[in-house]
Every structure is written in C-alpha cells, then in structure tokens.
Amino acid sequence: MPPRPSLHSLLLMAASAAAAGGGDSVLLLAARRRLPVAAAAGGHRIRLLHSFSGSRLPRRPEVVCCVRSAPDARPAGPVAVRSRNVHSGNSYTAACEERLGQLVQKLKKEGIHPKQWRLGNFQRMMCPKCNGGSTEEMSLSVYIRMDGMNATWNCFRSTCGWRGFVQPDGVSKVSQANSDIGSETDQEVEANNAANMVYRKLSEEDLNLEPLCDELITYFSERMISAATLRRNKVMQRNWNSKIVIAFTYRRDGILVGCKYREVSKRFSQEAKTERILYGLDDIKRAHDVIIVEGEIDKLSMEEAGYRNCVSVPDGAPPQVSDKLPNKNQDKKYLYLWNCKDYLDSASRIILATDADPPGQALAEELARRLGKERCWRVNWPKRNKTDICKDANEVLMFLGPQALKKVVEDAELYPIRGLFSFRDFFPEIDNYYLGIRGDELGICTGWKSMDDIYKVVPGELTVVTGVPNSGKSEWIDALMCNINSQCGWKFVLCSMENKVREHARKLLEKRIKKPFFDARYGGSVERMTPDEFQEGKQWLNETFHLIRCEDDSLPSINWVLDLAKAAVLRYGVRGLVIDPYNELDHQRPSNQTETEYVSQILTKIKRFAQHHSCHVWFVAHPRQLHNWNGGPPNMYDISGSAHFINKCDNGIVIHRNRDSNAGPIDVVQVCVRKVRNKVVGQIGDAFLSYDRVTGEFKDADEVTVAAVTAAQTKKHSRRNFEGSRST
C-alpha cells in the first residue's frame, strides 16, 4: 500500500509544480490544509511562505515553512524542507505529482475550472454543461484523489446529470485497484465522512429564522397552501444575502436538525453538516400508510387535501435509475432513507407520489427498490386540461382542487413488480380477444376444409410435428405456409437443416406456381413453369421467407436459432418459425443434466419465444427407431428424446403416408392431430389429404378416397387383432 503523502512531501511537490511553471498548485493547497494539523501535534504555529523569486527557481526547489513554537522555544530561523527529507518514496512522490498534473489538464479539457484545486475533498462549482440552469446553481461536484489515481465529477441537477471519470495516462485498472487497498474510493470517502460526521446542533435563533412575512404567505396562498398549514409545519423565512428566502425546517421529535432554503426563483440550498432526513418526519411516526412526495411544497399540498401522513425527500430526483443498488454504507444519495428507517419500517403501505417527469419516475423506482416494491403503491397524475398532465401534487391542488388530489391518492395502484401481474393488466388484450379485434383469435385456417375443424394456426403457440422418415412432414409444413401466406400474407423464417437452399426453393416454388420446376420424369406431361413465372416466384420467395443457416460446418444451438428468429421478427415482421428437425441442432448439455431435462428446457425456451413475439413455431422431431413397426402412424410418445415433446407443446401432429397399396391409395397423407391445448381452435382427430407428386400440392381427399382409406385401415386393424388373438 503506498503511504499517504506527508506534509513535507506535499510541500516539496508543490514547489516542484511551481518550478515546472504551474500557475495553480493543487499540492500547495493540500499542504496548507495539513499545516494546522501539524501545528496541533507539535504545539507550533506554522506559516507557509509561498514566495519564489522571479519566474525561475533553484534547481533543487525548496518550500520554506516558518515554524513558531512557544515563546520559550522559538527556533533560530526558517526550516528548509529539502527533497532528501521526503519519506522513502521519492519515486512515489514524483509519480503522484505527475499524475496530479495530468488530472488537472484533463479536467480543464472537460471544461472543469474550479477557483481552487482541492485534493481529497468534494468541491462544488458551476456545471459547464448546464451552467446551473436558470438559477445558476453550483451543481457540479468534483473529487480528486490525494494520490492522483483518478478524478470524478457529477452534476446533481436532474435535467443534466453529467458525470465523468478521468485517470492519468498509464494507470491501468489493475494498478488502480491495487492502490485502493487501504485507500478509499470516492463513494467510500463520502459514505465514511457521513458515517463519522458530528452533526451540528441547530436552533432557530442561531439561524436567524423568523415567521413568514405577508408577501411569502401570499405566495403560498397562490399555490393553495394556507397559513395554518405553514404554521403547523413551521415554515419560516431568513434574510440571506439581502434576500428573503423560505426556510423549510427539518425536525425529528420536534427538534430542529436541518434546514433547507428556497428562493422564489426555485434556487435551493441547505445547512451543511446536518443530518439528512425526510421532511415532515414526525408526521409519519407510527403511521401505517405513508405518502412520499418529491418536494416540500408537495408535502404541504397533501396536507391541504387531508393527508398529514406525508413526507418529502430532501434532495430531489435523479436523472435516471442507477444500474445497480449500492450497499447501505455507500448509498449516500439516499442516506435519508436509512436515517429514517425506523419510521418507514412500521409502514405497511407506502404511496409514491413523485413527479410525473422522467426524473420523478426514476426517483419512484429508486425508492421502491429500497423500501420494498411489495408494499409500495404509485399514483397516476390526472390531466389538468385536454393535453397537459399535472406534474405533481401542488399542480393538482392548484388546477383541480383538494378533492381531486384526495382522489389521486385514493386511486393509487400497486407498484409494478417485474414478473408479477394482475388480470387487470391484461384487460385490453382480453377485451380484444372477446371482440375479435385482431382477427386471429379463432386461429388461422389451414387452407384445407378437412383440417380446419381439428387444427388451426394460432400466433404464440408451438406445434410439434412428427412422423416416420419420408412421410412428408416437411412437405406438409411447406404447403401449410404457402396456404397461410395466400390467405393472410404471413412471412416466415426457416431453419431447415435437412434441405439444401436450392431444393427448398424448388419445393416452395412448385407449390406456389403449381407447376414443376424441371422438365423431368416426375413432371410427366405437365408444362414446366415459364421464365416469367420463375422470376415472379423468386420475388415472392424473397419477400415471404427468410433463412437461418450456419455458414460453416458447425451445428446451430437453440439459443442461436432463437436469437436470429427474434431478429427476423423485429426486422421483417415474420409470424412463423420452422425448426426442422430437432436432431440437427447442437445438443451439448451439462453432464449432470438428463436428456429429459434438456428437452424440457429447450421446449420452454421455444414457447417463451413464441408467446413473447406472437409467432407460431413448428418444431419437427423424428420418432425413435420403431421395432416391429406395423406400418401405422407412430405415437407422439415415440418421439426420440423425451415425452416432453407432447407434454409441453400446444399442438401435436403426426404426418403419416400409406406405403402399402393393398391398404389403400399410396398418395393419401393422413394428418393425425393428437393434441390440441386450445379447444377453441381444434380437437383431436384425423384429416386425409391427397398429395400431388408433380407440384407438391396437398388437397382435401374426396369422400370416396377417405372411405377407401378408412375401410382399408379398419380391415388391417381387425386382421392384426385376429392374428394377435390366435397367437395368444
């Protein structure tokens, strides 16, 4: 740990800085602050002689201290403090001096020019960004560390909030962290100062407080605050720099512990070295309901509406919500909450009535985070006219009256907690569902009449599709997407790892144009699509479908797929996602996680994606190897991996194609709907579609074909049962 610079060290560094041509020596000022301490320790009186002859100094700079002892022990002459008297850190001293010089230059580049450069103390000055606003408030706080490792600044005006941090060149975060061992950070300095501070004892006489004059009483009456309310809250005045300012007295158990001053022009100041507490603290002693507002006048306004159980924060609102919640010892900005903790802990309900602007809402969030959102409520400020919303309690009182302000408090709502809702939060969505505003409440039709009674596509749901290999799962999903696009104009994003892009394009174009892609044997005598149709089809492909594909030979993970799908939803407005198939994904999982747990986790992620983005997801999963397969449709529980595929999906579909000509037509595809979670849009059942091998189209099978297939399946099932009984 580097030693703290001694008084002699500071004096030497001050001389060196002056020798280098520095006009304002930070170190010299720091040394001056240390002189009284040194004098007290040795019983001496010390004067610092900061006088150098001419513009040049001797090669070995000296700073002369004139040390005066008691009359009987006066030294013979001035004491010269030379560089050899510095403690064993000559190199450390030089490094500190160099760092401090760099910090000063960097701060000047930022526009920070205090009247005096002070080390180790927070100093206030005019913010160069906001210039203190209309009141020219000294709102910028600057802190320079004694060892020159960094400098920080922060503007406390809510509409500005400019803050920054600089450090010397060559100071890494690691070296700075090491120097912090045994050395306090900026926040710790303030926190420790506050913890160790001996608060001043105040009295109205010492502060020269006096009752409000008639002019100020009139000022408050214009804001609908009565003289009786002012007297009860001991609002007073003070003559400050030839101005009469309002004095809001902060009291604990009736004793004056702080005072905040306000000019009519809304320029604020506070008594230094006083305990920071809530304004009106005594009014919430043993109160079960507590109202917290953003300003003293808002607290007085609440009293005019009949609420005395109200307090105001002393320091206004932050510009934005902080990234993380500091611990108690470093929570300087909200120290008043910790000082009033005993009063607030007894409250079962805390109503946050901060201002309606963004800083006010940020303050509400900061308060709720510290007080506990589970017991916090918030108000909704009403409109004062057709366009403008009341900013705070006093505006409601002035423009709408005390009864309106009382109703605002009575209508306060529970403070929102992330992830915790009531049905009321979803009433608009439920209303739209009941009224059919969106048009897809009863699902999107598939384009096949035989299927619409048992399955429809609902945004935000997950459909798991399975079937034995070469049964037409992917072909059926492609046909379904083409139908939905023709009806509703949906766009889709495809993660189809088993299909080459050109082959997938051919299949989709054939379904769209209803002509074969090639003059090939499979097309028979049907005419091939023309070049013009091909060009129009390509345009349709580009506008309707987007692709998720790995550009190398690596396997895609489910997180990677969903991240790209989210981008497609936000960028292109897609409404459907196809993941085909499950076994082509990267399935690396922790060694302590079973496949069942892994599948459950994947399906949960997919469902959350679908619900959050109102996107329907089709997830293709192959069944495991079927032993003694009899040629019939597999079961959803036959999917390789886990029973969660059927347990967690919204819809479960088996695509089956007959391969036995003796059992019926082989061009008929049986769509078996084995699970439908939403009874509004479907039910368990089977549909039969005929497949056109030339164009890849699916059409509703006619009644004769359906009857033939049904009869063949019944006959086959009866024969299988008969053979089973004979073997038994």
Side-chain angles (χ1 to χ4, degrees):
M1 180 185 76
R4 183 184 182 187
S6 66
L7 173 60
H8 288 177
S9 175
L10 288 171
L11 292 172
L12 179 66
M13 288 188 285
S16 300
D24 45 0
S25 176
V26 182
L27 298 160
L28 185 61
L29 295 173
R32 284 175 175 164
R33 288 200 308 275
R34 296 279 296 278
L35 288 176
V37 179
H44 304 299
R45 290 178 295 167
I46 303 176
R47 286 190 302 124
L48 179 63
L49 304 181
H50 183 203
S51 176
F52 302 103
S53 59
S55 60
R56 302 184 62 182
L57 290 176
R59 179 171 298 178
R60 297 177 63 103
E62 297 180 355
V63 175
V64 179
C65 289
C66 192
V67 184
R68 297 188 62 189
S69 305
D72 56 345
R74 179 174 298 182
V79 179
V81 185
R82 299 181 183 273
S83 59
R84 63 175 178 271
N85 293 331
V86 180
H87 60 73
S88 59
N90 279 334
S91 59
Y92 170 74
T93 300
C96 283
E97 179 183 350
E98 182 180 356
R99 289 196 296 265
L100 289 168
Q102 290 186 33
L103 287 181
V104 169
Q105 295 304 318
K106 290 189 175 185
L107 289 172
K108 287 181 177 180
K109 288 181 180 180
E110 296 289 343
I112 298 175
H113 299 277
K115 295 180 180 179
Q116 293 181 334
W117 293 98
R118 299 176 181 174
L119 299 180
N121 282 317
F122 289 86
Q123 52 185 322
R124 288 293 186 95
M125 59 170 287
M126 184 81 72
C127 175
K129 298 297 183 181
C130 65
N131 294 320
S134 59
T135 60
E136 298 183 354
E137 180 183 2
M138 307 291 282
S139 59
L140 187 70
S141 175
V142 182
Y143 180 80
I144 306 174
R145 283 179 45 152
M146 292 287 295
D147 57 4
M149 296 299 288
N150 66 51
T152 59
W153 64 88
N154 184 21
C155 179
F156 293 102
R157 290 190 70 246
S158 60
T159 55
C160 179
W162 180 52
R163 61 179 61 191
F165 169 93
V166 293
Q167 62 185 32
D169 298 333
V171 177
S172 65
K173 292 184 178 179
V174 175
S175 62
Q176 181 160 320
N178 292 336
S179 71
D180 285 342
I181 301 175
S183 176
E184 296 169 320
T185 63
D186 301 349
Q187 287 185 335
E188 288 170 343
V189 169
E190 287 205 23
N192 292 337
N193 287 345
N196 299 323
M197 181 181 293
V198 177
Y199 298 121
R200 294 167 51 200
K201 291 184 178 180
L202 303 180
S203 67
E204 296 179 6
E205 294 76 13
D206 293 339
L207 299 180
N208 297 319
L209 301 183
E210 54 189 23
L212 292 174
C213 61
D214 293 340
E215 289 80 0
L216 288 180
I217 292 177
T218 302
Y219 166 79
F220 278 106
S221 66
E222 292 173 353
R223 303 181 75 98
M224 305 297 291
I225 308 295
S226 66
T229 298
L230 297 172
R231 286 193 299 270
R232 198 193 75 81
N233 288 275
K234 294 182 173 58
V235 181
M236 308 183 78
Q237 70 179 37
R238 179 180 178 179
N239 192 326
W240 187 284
N241 294 331
S242 301
K243 292 182 180 179
I244 300 297
V245 297
I246 302 167
F248 295 104
T249 57
Y250 282 66
R251 301 174 186 269
R252 183 194 289 270
D253 296 326
I255 299 174
L256 183 65
V257 298
C259 191
K260 182 175 178 180
Y261 304 106
R262 170 188 168 128
E263 298 180 16
V264 176
S265 60
K266 292 191 68 173
R267 185 169 183 172
F268 297 93
S269 59
Q270 297 189 44
E271 288 291 338
K273 296 183 180 180
T274 58
E275 183 184 13
R276 296 172 64 194
I277 62 173
L278 294 163
Y279 178 69
L281 183 62
D282 289 344
D283 287 339
I284 64 168
K285 186 181 294 186
R286 294 184 293 275
H288 295 293
D289 290 355
V290 172
I291 304 171
I292 300 180
V293 294
E294 193 174 323
E296 292 82 3
I297 292 183
D298 293 327
K299 185 269 190 288
L300 304 177
S301 301
M302 284 292 181
E303 185 164 327
E304 293 294 339
Y307 295 104
R308 289 189 177 181
N309 56 324
C310 178
V311 289
S312 168
V313 301
D315 296 332
Q320 58 189 10
V321 180
S322 58
D323 295 332
K324 61 181 180 179
L325 194 64
N327 59 42
K328 176 182 176 181
N329 294 330
Q330 295 183 348
D331 200 10
K332 178 181 178 297
K333 173 70 175 175
Y334 301 93
L335 183 62
Y336 54 84
L337 292 179
W338 300 104
N339 292 339
C340 304
K341 187 175 184 299
D342 293 340
Y343 291 77
L344 296 169
D345 283 349
S346 61
S348 58
R349 188 171 77 134
I350 298 175
I351 301 174
L352 304 178
T354 55
D355 290 1
D357 56 11
Q361 297 308 300
L363 174 62
E365 178 66 17
E366 294 286 9
L367 295 175
R369 293 164 71 184
R370 291 161 173 80
L371 299 172
K373 293 183 179 181
E374 66 280 357
R375 60 174 178 154
C376 287
W377 298 59
R378 67 177 181 182
V379 301
N380 292 311
W381 298 116
K383 287 186 175 182
R384 68 184 189 186
N385 52 43
K386 293 182 179 180
T387 57
D388 300 325
I389 295 178
C390 291
K391 176 178 174 289
D392 52 30
N394 188 245
E395 283 198 3
V396 176
L397 181 66
M398 291 174 60
F399 291 97
L400 303 177
Q403 292 303 317
L405 182 55
K406 185 175 182 180
K407 190 174 188 308
V408 167
V409 177
E410 291 174 349
D411 294 344
E413 300 176 347
L414 287 166
Y415 197 88
I417 299 177
R418 185 176 182 181
L420 181 63
F421 305 94
S422 65
F423 268 106
R424 182 177 180 178
D425 298 324
F426 298 92
F427 276 174
E429 181 181 345
I430 296 172
D431 291 343
N432 292 340
Y433 187 43
Y434 174 76
L435 298 172
I437 299 297
R438 292 182 52 178
D440 56 12
E441 289 78 10
L442 299 180
I444 304 298
C445 293
T446 63
W448 302 297
K449 292 183 179 179
S450 59
M451 280 210 63
D452 288 339
D453 291 336
I454 59 177
Y455 174 73
K456 289 181 181 178
V457 177
V458 178
E461 289 191 351
L462 167 63
T463 297
V464 172
V465 181
T466 190
V468 297
N470 203 31
S471 58
K473 300 182 292 296
S474 301
E475 290 274 3
W476 177 79
I477 293 176
D478 287 348
L480 177 62
M481 290 189 295
C482 290
N483 291 347
I484 294 175
N485 175 260
S486 297
Q487 296 177 63
C488 308
W490 273 27
K491 298 179 181 180
F492 306 89
V493 59
L494 312 177
C495 182
S496 183
M497 283 79 74
E498 288 185 333
N499 276 319
K500 295 180 180 179
V501 174
R502 64 181 187 180
E503 291 298 321
H504 205 172
R506 175 185 62 79
K507 296 175 184 179
L508 292 169
L509 288 174
E510 287 179 341
K511 291 175 174 58
R512 170 73 174 183
I513 301 174
K514 299 178 176 55
K515 291 182 179 181
F517 192 83
F518 291 115
D519 279 330
R521 184 175 60 183
Y522 77 90
S525 59
V526 180
E527 181 183 357
R528 179 190 185 186
M529 64 181 68
T530 65
D532 290 341
E533 291 172 334
F534 175 62
Q535 293 300 327
E536 292 177 3
K538 286 198 302 180
Q539 183 68 22
W540 169 79
L541 273 180
N542 191 59
E543 294 174 352
T544 305
F545 300 98
H546 303 276
L547 305 175
I548 295 176
R549 301 187 71 84
C550 283
E551 297 180 353
D552 50 30
D553 57 356
S554 61
L555 294 176
S557 67
I558 190 63
N559 290 334
W560 182 78
V561 171
L562 294 181
D563 285 343
L564 291 176
K566 175 183 176 181
V569 170
L570 299 177
R571 176 172 290 186
Y572 303 115
V574 303
R575 301 298 303 277
L577 165 65
V578 177
I579 304 175
D580 180 14
Y582 161 75
N583 63 311
E584 290 287 339
L585 295 173
D586 183 8
H587 297 307
Q588 294 184 17
R589 65 177 190 272
S591 58
N592 60 347
Q593 186 180 41
T594 66
E595 186 177 14
T596 298
E597 294 170 339
Y598 171 72
V599 170
S600 176
Q601 185 181 68
I602 279 184
L603 294 175
T604 298
K605 290 180 179 180
I606 295 174
K607 289 188 65 175
R608 287 180 178 174
F609 166 83
Q611 293 171 2
H612 183 72
H613 297 286
S614 191
C615 180
H616 195 98
V617 180
W618 290 272
F619 194 19
V620 178
H622 295 310
R624 62 177 179 268
Q625 186 175 359
L626 301 176
H627 299 284
N628 301 321
W629 181 47
N630 58 17
N635 195 287
M636 290 291 295
Y637 287 103
D638 292 329
I639 297 177
S640 176
S642 172
H644 280 305
F645 280 105
I646 186 171
N647 295 338
K648 304 197 76 169
C649 69
D650 297 297
N651 308 285
I653 293 178
V654 178
I655 304 296
H656 178 66
R657 183 169 63 86
N658 178 38
R659 289 169 170 77
D660 184 2
S661 58
N662 296 324
I666 60 175
D667 63 341
V668 174
V669 175
Q670 183 178 356
V671 182
C672 311
V673 178
R674 292 294 176 255
K675 179 183 179 181
V676 176
R677 191 186 301 276
N678 186 356
K679 68 178 183 180
V680 175
V681 297
Q683 60 185 341
I684 294 176
D686 295 348
F688 296 92
L689 305 175
S690 61
Y691 175 67
D692 187 343
R693 189 169 180 272
V694 175
T695 62
E697 290 181 273
F698 288 81
K699 299 179 180 178
D700 287 300
D702 54 43
E703 295 181 359
V704 175
T705 302
V706 173
V709 172
T710 304
Q713 288 182 346
T714 303
K715 182 178 179 181
K716 185 175 181 179
H717 182 69
S718 300
R719 185 171 63 249
R720 204 164 48 241
N721 290 340
F722 175 73
E723 291 175 352
S725 62
R726 286 185 60 185
S727 62
T728 303

